[in-house]
């Protein structure tokens, strides 16, 4: 069982800095790497407690700060099936991180143990990975000190993408059961995805090359590796911003967040009209596509476009396969472009739910459908197949050749898609599969609907916590009266829509607006920002 002197001794090498309050937010802990040593040590402790609580199930820990600048880092916990840490435990993470002294730390640990009836004698199993950030190795050693202070059984999964860590965590926990998810190895991941991909495009004409901006992050070597398993005759990719070894380059003027936010090409891209391109973010859990049209205008195909593409394809397959009992739904956030929602509801005729920002909210909502497609506009998303859907798809036989083929494709999709979390590599293969099957260019895909002009602005306010939202963050409850003022402004614009929400990752308030024209949209965004300020 637990030796508290051992924990105190180890903790003394990882003291908490004075005058700083940590919060486990939407994306775990994330900040300047030099402030994270004590936090990571304590996250190790929390993971051990979580594993003990869940009967020795393997808990995942990912050290990454995604699209943040290179000097930042972060950490998040992954629950046994590859989901984000259960929300009620986020509070424990925050309490552990903020315990000032070793004695306080031990008190918090004891409280967590007693309020959860944790059996101290249970073995704890942990798997961890990190991205390519230079601060990674030092933080890993702090993590290992935390894990060892509670005698955990540890697996070092090395440098990986965030979704690979989610994948392997699930694999460990369901191995040999009816929910088996594949080999708990990096190779198992590549084999699963590549085999499925080859199946879905077999016999179809290969598309022109896909230019991939890997944000100079971990996605670069991993995409290279994956492509070797797939084979060039099935997928031709050209990597740029693949220098993950030179310091200072990670996410710098490149990557999915840069492209989505700036609505422009990443540094180093010289694509021409007709070329196909995509960007990953720094830990390869987001992807956006883009191209340049004949007038040399930059055209973005973001997460909303991917949801439309994937939703449409899956609905067609389900229909063709004759699996009427399976319902398909799409989950979005308030940031979804209004045109995308209209397209999903009116053209594809699928139910659409809107939830607050953050993967955990989307993921849980998507679980309510037999097949739930979820994407944030920023390019993070995936597709979930319920147990019922999996069972139906696996056992269906089909009468006609057409039905059989659709069933085979659906089966392959259940392997191709990383169902634990949004995954840039897996999502790239999903999009490539659909475009190959449809023989569509990016322009043809883009023609499904036209995005309404939109603008996102940050407003620095004295205290963002006074902003309270409701209705999936689309309306403000507080400050009282502000929503009415926003409504009045919005009503003056054709196709106008705007909302205000406090950020979960930065000390700012975000204002989103869309309207019929660029000018009106910008005007609306700045006027609403003016109300907030
Ligand atoms: C986090 C979320 C992401 C969300 C973003 C919003 C996860 C794993 N990540 O990065 O989904 O889009 O926060 O940030 O949930 P904001 O609250 O600062 O706008
Ligand atoms: Zn990311």
């Amino acid at each position: 069982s637990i030796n508290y002197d051992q924990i105190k001794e180890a903790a003394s090498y990882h003291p908490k800095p004075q005058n700083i309050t940590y919060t486990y937010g939407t994306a775990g802990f994330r900040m300047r790497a030099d402030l994270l040593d004590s936090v990571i040590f304590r996250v190790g402790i929390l993971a051990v407690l979580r594993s003990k609580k869940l009967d020795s199930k393997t808990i995942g820990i990912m050290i990454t700060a995604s699209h943040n600048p290179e000097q930042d880092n972060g950490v998040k916990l992954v629950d046994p099936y590859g989901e984000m840490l259960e929300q009620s435990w986020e509070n424990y993470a925050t309490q552990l991180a903020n315990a000032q002294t070793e004695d306080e730390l031990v008190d918090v640990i004891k409280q967590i143990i007693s309020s959860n009836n944790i059996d101290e004698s249970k073995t704890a199993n942990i798997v961890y990975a990190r991205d390519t950030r230079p601060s990674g190795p030092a933080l890993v050693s702090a993590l290992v000190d935390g894990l060892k202070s509670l005698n955990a059984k540890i697996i070092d999964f090395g440098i990986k993408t965030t979704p690979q860590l989610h994948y392997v965590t699930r694999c460990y926990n369901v191995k040999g059961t009816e929910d088996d998810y594949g080999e708990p190895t990096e190779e198992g991941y590549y084999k699963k995805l590549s085999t499925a991909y080859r199946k879905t495009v077999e016999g179809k004409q290969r598309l022109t090359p896909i230019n991939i901006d890997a944000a100079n992050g971990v996605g670069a070597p991993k995409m290279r590796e994956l492509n070797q398993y797939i084979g060039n005759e099935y997928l031709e990719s050209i990597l740029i911003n693949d220098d993950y070894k030179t310091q200072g380059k990670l996410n710098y003027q490149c990557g999915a967040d840069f492209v989505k936010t700036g609505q422009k090409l990443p540094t180093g891209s010289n694509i021409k009209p007709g070329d196909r391109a995509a960007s990953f973010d720094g830990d390869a859990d987001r992807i956006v596509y883009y191209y340049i049209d004949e007038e040399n205008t930059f055209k973005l195909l973001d997460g909303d476009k991917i949801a439309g593409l994937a939703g449409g394809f899956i609905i067609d397959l389900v229909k063709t396969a004759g699996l009427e009992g399976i319902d398909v739904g799409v989950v979005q956030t308030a940031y979804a472009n209004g045109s995308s929602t209209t397209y999903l509801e009116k053209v594809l005729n699928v139910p659409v739910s809107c939830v607050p920002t953050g993967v955990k909210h989307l993921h849980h909502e998507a679980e309510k459908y037999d097949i739930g497609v979820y994407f944030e506009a920023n390019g993070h998303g995936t597709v979930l197949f319920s147990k019922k859907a999996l069972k139906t798809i696996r056992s269906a036989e089909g009468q006609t050749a057409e039905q059989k083929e659709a069933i085979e494709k659906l089966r392959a999709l259940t392997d191709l898609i990383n169902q634990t979390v949004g995954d840039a590599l897996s999502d790239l293969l999903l999009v490539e599969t659909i475009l190959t099957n449809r023989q569509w260019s990016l322009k043809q895909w883009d023609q499904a609907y036209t995005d309404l002009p939109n603008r996102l602005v940050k407003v620095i306010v004295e205290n963002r916590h006074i902003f309270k939202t409701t209705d999936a963050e689309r309306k403000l409850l507080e400050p009282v009266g502000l929503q009415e003022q926003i409504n009045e402004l919005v009503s003056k614009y054709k196709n106008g829509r705007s909302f205000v929400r406090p950020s979960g990752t930065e000390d700012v308030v975000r204002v989103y607006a869309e309207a019929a024209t660029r000018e009106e949209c910008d005007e609306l965004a700045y006027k609403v920002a003016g109300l907030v300020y």
Side-chain angles (χ1 to χ4, degrees):
S1 68
I2 297 177
N3 177 340
Y4 289 98
D5 288 333
Q6 184 175 308
I7 295 174
K8 279 199 231 172
E9 162 75 12
S12 70
Y13 294 99
H14 303 281
K16 176 187 174 291
Q18 299 283 340
N19 309 321
I20 175 161
T21 308
Y22 297 104
T23 337
Y24 193 97
T26 342
F29 293 108
R30 195 184 286 186
M31 59 182 64
R32 267 176 36 213
D34 54 4
L35 293 171
L36 277 170
D37 182 84
S38 63
V39 172
I40 302 249
F41 173 88
R42 290 146 188 235
V43 163
I45 294 177
L46 185 66
V48 171
L49 298 177
R50 183 93 184 130
S51 177
K52 286 180 191 283
K53 166 72 191 172
L54 299 179
D55 255 338
S56 305
K57 289 236 164 39
T58 300
I59 298 297
I61 304 172
M62 184 70 201
I63 298 182
T64 178
S66 187
H67 58 277
N68 283 38
E70 189 170 292
Q71 66 271 20
D72 288 2
N73 215 327
V75 62
K76 56 187 166 192
L77 289 191
V78 176
D79 263 355
Y81 299 102
E83 331 88 299
M84 302 290 165
L85 174 69
E86 185 186 296
Q87 224 169 324
S88 61
W89 275 58
E90 290 180 2
N91 210 5
Y92 299 140
T94 302
Q95 285 170 20
L96 285 170
N98 291 309
Q100 193 60 48
T101 63
E102 283 99 57
D103 286 329
E104 278 174 48
L105 178 62
V106 163
D107 285 344
V108 178
I109 296 172
K110 287 182 174 164
Q111 274 164 30
I112 298 173
I113 289 175
S114 86
S115 39
N116 289 282
N117 289 317
I118 291 172
D119 178 352
E120 292 188 13
S121 68
K122 288 251 155 96
T123 305
N125 290 295
I126 308 294
V127 58
Y128 68 82
R130 64 176 176 95
D131 69 12
T132 54
R133 283 164 203 273
S135 56
L139 292 176
V140 160
S141 85
L143 175 68
V144 170
D145 284 356
L147 295 170
K148 284 193 173 155
S149 75
L150 278 119
N151 307 319
K153 281 177 72 179
I154 314 169
I155 299 164
D156 176 1
F157 198 40
I159 295 181
K160 294 291 177 294
T161 70
T162 296
Q164 287 178 326
L165 187 269
H166 284 254
Y167 163 87
V168 83
T169 304
R170 172 123 152 212
C171 289
Y172 277 119
N173 288 304
V174 296
K175 197 157 170 43
T177 73
E178 59 170 15
D179 300 323
D180 198 289
Y181 201 65
E183 283 304 310
T185 60
E186 185 173 5
E187 194 185 12
Y189 170 89
Y190 295 128
K191 281 193 173 152
K192 184 174 178 186
L193 267 58
S194 59
T195 309
Y197 183 71
R198 291 159 63 126
K199 261 188 213 153
T200 57
V201 298
E202 194 67 66
K204 307 280 176 198
Q205 167 92 34
R206 190 189 66 180
L207 302 174
T208 58
I210 177 75
N211 295 275
I212 303 170
D213 152 30
N216 293 313
V218 64
K222 303 310 183 190
M223 185 63 216
R224 247 198 201 108
E225 186 95 21
L226 174 61
N227 221 350
Q228 275 173 9
Y229 282 85
I230 293 173
N232 236 32
E233 63 285 19
Y234 291 92
L235 177 71
E236 195 182 349
S237 61
I238 300 167
L239 283 176
I240 66 160
N241 297 326
D242 59 346
D243 181 1
Y244 61 98
K245 289 183 174 154
T246 304
Q247 287 210 12
K249 288 195 150 186
L250 176 67
N251 295 326
Y252 184 66
Q253 298 194 334
C254 60
D257 196 64
F258 175 86
V259 170
K260 167 76 181 162
T261 317
Q263 309 254 339
K264 58 183 179 210
L265 291 178
T267 301
S269 171
N270 50 13
I271 56 164
K272 294 177 239 1
D275 288 349
R276 306 187 320 111
S279 285
F280 297 167
D281 73 340
D283 61 337
D285 64 352
R286 285 193 200 177
I287 185 170
V288 293
Y289 269 73
Y290 44 91
Y291 66 101
I292 299 176
D293 70 6
E294 290 77 17
E295 282 87 52
N296 260 319
T297 314
F298 173 86
K299 296 282 190 176
L300 182 69
L301 293 149
D302 62 3
D304 299 340
K305 289 275 181 180
I306 299 175
L309 182 76
F313 187 66
I314 290 170
I315 288 164
D316 282 355
L317 284 179
V318 169
K319 270 194 201 133
T320 312
L323 304 178
E324 276 79 21
I326 301 284
D327 68 61
V328 182
V330 179
V331 184
Q332 304 188 308
T333 71
Y335 288 112
N337 197 278
S339 298
S340 78
T341 313
T342 309
Y343 170 75
L344 290 164
E345 286 176 338
K346 301 278 148 54
V347 181
L348 296 185
N349 282 311
V350 281
V352 179
S353 347
C354 184
V355 298
T357 302
V359 173
K360 61 191 168 212
H361 301 295
L362 289 120
H363 196 95
H364 285 137
E365 183 67 22
E367 283 174 335
K368 296 180 183 163
Y369 297 102
D370 296 331
I371 302 179
V373 178
Y374 76 80
F375 270 90
E376 289 191 296
N378 63 26
H380 186 108
T382 186
V383 180
L384 304 183
F385 295 83
S386 69
K387 276 187 191 240
K388 171 187 157 192
L390 285 174
K391 218 170 154 192
T392 311
I393 293 168
R394 282 180 187 149
S395 62
E397 283 171 358
Q399 260 106 61
T400 64
E402 215 192 359
Q403 280 187 346
K404 286 187 206 299
E405 193 192 327
I407 292 163
E408 280 305 319
K409 289 230 162 93
L410 278 171
R411 242 173 239 161
L413 285 188
T414 65
D415 283 338
L416 179 71
I417 297 168
N418 184 344
Q419 294 177 55
T420 61
V421 78
D423 180 337
L425 274 63
S426 161
D427 287 340
L428 177 109
L429 296 185
L430 174 63
V431 170
E432 292 297 306
T433 288
I434 300 171
L435 297 179
T436 306
N437 274 275
R438 300 231 195 256
Q439 289 291 305
W440 277 357
S441 63
L442 296 189
K443 191 173 171 191
Q444 282 168 298
W445 166 18
D446 203 11
Q447 275 158 1
Y449 63 86
T450 306
D451 274 326
L452 282 170
N454 57 90
R455 180 70 62 198
L456 181 61
V457 288
K458 276 189 209 186
V459 187
I460 296 169
V461 294
E462 214 163 280
N463 177 10
R464 77 184 199 278
H465 302 289
I466 64 167
F467 292 83
K468 301 261 189 284
T469 65
T470 182
D471 190 21
E473 303 180 319
R474 289 174 292 191
K475 290 202 176 71
L476 279 177
L477 289 173
E478 293 175 28
V480 173
L482 191 49
Q483 186 60 48
E484 286 69 28
Q485 290 177 279
I486 296 172
N487 293 347
E488 203 189 314
L489 271 179
V490 168
S491 69
K492 294 181 185 142
Y493 294 83
K494 180 159 180 250
N495 293 334
R497 186 169 73 90
S498 180
F499 64 87
V500 173
R501 60 175 280 277
S503 161
T505 64
E506 277 182 87
D507 197 10
V508 297
V509 164
R510 301 201 197 281
V511 174
Y512 176 91
E514 59 187 37
T517 65
R518 171 90 274 152
E519 293 68 36
E520 288 169 292
C521 153
D522 286 352
E523 194 181 287
L524 178 58
Y526 289 109
K527 284 198 173 154
V528 173
L531 293 176
V532 168
Y533 185 68

